[in-house]
Amino acid sequence: MTERELIEGCRNRDKSAREELYRLYLPKMAAVCRRLVSNKSVAEDLVHDGFVTAFLKINDYKGMGSFEGWLRRIFINVSLDYLRKNKIGFISDIDENSVIDICADYDGLDDLVYNELMELIGMLPDDYRVVLSLYCVEGYKHDEIASMVGISTKTSGSRLLRAKIMLTELLKKRYNYGVGYTNDTDIELKGEQVST
């Protein structure tokens, strides 16, 4: 079946069309939820919720833009709604006017496999992980993220910067790269102190 036929089949509540659409998009939509919600079993539940929502709202898709993009937005919203409702791991904002000085770059990202990177990103606090995922993976701009998450554009940029710093620290720690930059700030990663 073509994508158009799948969509039409889902609109007509055709079970085989729904199953095929589910199989086709499951890996990508599961990855979206997993990047935004660190708890694997919760992310799996959100994937289910996302597909239920998509099937219920399939008539809202008017054929403008890609279907995958429309579907992706549903899964992002389901994940963000869960995080908002449960206030899991949301941390207070840092001083947005502070300047963070990064004196060294880490270019070992090329050596990481996808699962290792996702594991490290999963260790970031929810606020930072969400902004990093939406900006770097999903391609949203800071003003879009701010609107979706309910923060200011400046806070979105600040959280992205902090997420990159934390991710760099996690990479250094994992691969024993002790040299690099110093900063007089301590970053807390899910209950673990990391000095920067």
Side-chain angles (χ1 to χ4, degrees):
M1 274 193 222
T2 67
E3 185 178 85
R4 176 181 262 170
E5 291 170 334
L6 281 177
I7 294 167
E8 202 52 46
C10 289
R11 285 182 174 146
N12 294 324
R13 298 182 180 178
D14 179 303
K15 185 177 177 183
S16 64
R18 286 182 173 184
E19 288 173 358
E20 189 171 336
L21 188 126
Y22 178 85
R23 274 194 301 275
L24 181 64
Y25 288 104
L26 176 63
K28 290 179 181 180
M29 298 307 120
V32 168
C33 293
R34 188 70 179 99
R35 280 191 297 270
L36 296 173
V37 177
S38 62
N39 183 304
K40 187 176 180 179
S41 63
V42 171
E44 289 170 357
D45 289 343
L46 293 174
V47 169
H48 174 267
D49 295 349
F51 276 108
V52 168
T53 301
F55 293 140
L56 290 173
K57 294 185 174 195
I58 194 83
N59 289 327
D60 293 348
Y61 177 67
K62 304 299 182 201
M64 300 177 150
S66 78
F67 178 73
E68 183 178 330
W70 177 83
L71 199 58
R72 195 176 276 275
R73 182 67 182 235
I74 287 174
F75 284 82
I76 289 170
N77 287 335
V78 165
S79 299
L80 292 178
D81 287 346
Y82 169 80
L83 290 170
R84 263 192 294 273
K85 189 186 317 180
N86 293 288
K87 297 186 188 318
I88 295 190
F90 277 77
I91 54 180
S92 61
D93 290 325
I94 60 168
D95 177 12
E96 294 175 354
N97 297 316
S98 66
V99 177
I100 302 168
D101 183 25
I102 302 175
C103 303
D105 291 338
Y106 175 76
D107 61 2
L109 288 176
D110 293 339
D111 300 331
L112 284 179
V113 294
Y114 176 81
N115 290 339
E116 286 180 300
L117 184 57
M118 288 300 102
E119 178 187 338
L120 292 173
I121 290 173
M123 295 172 71
L124 298 174
D126 290 339
D127 287 2
Y128 298 156
R129 186 184 60 258
V130 166
V131 172
L132 178 80
S133 296
L134 291 174
Y135 186 87
C136 295
V137 180
E138 301 299 334
Y140 287 98
K141 305 278 187 238
H142 286 298
D143 57 337
E144 296 170 308
I145 296 169
S147 174
M148 292 166 73
V149 179
I151 57 176
S152 71
T153 302
K154 193 173 182 182
T155 298
S156 179
S158 176
R159 287 182 183 175
L160 177 63
L161 181 58
R162 283 290 179 159
K164 288 178 177 180
I165 290 170
M166 289 179 181
L167 192 55
T168 300
E169 284 301 311
L170 288 170
L171 285 166
K172 285 180 187 179
K173 190 173 181 179
R174 172 156 297 179
Y175 297 104
N176 296 319
Y177 288 102
V179 295
Y181 63 87
T182 57
N183 187 333
D184 57 355
T185 307
D186 282 347
I187 300 173
E188 186 175 321
L189 298 173
K190 302 251 178 171
E192 177 180 337
Q193 287 291 111
V194 178
S195 295
T196 60

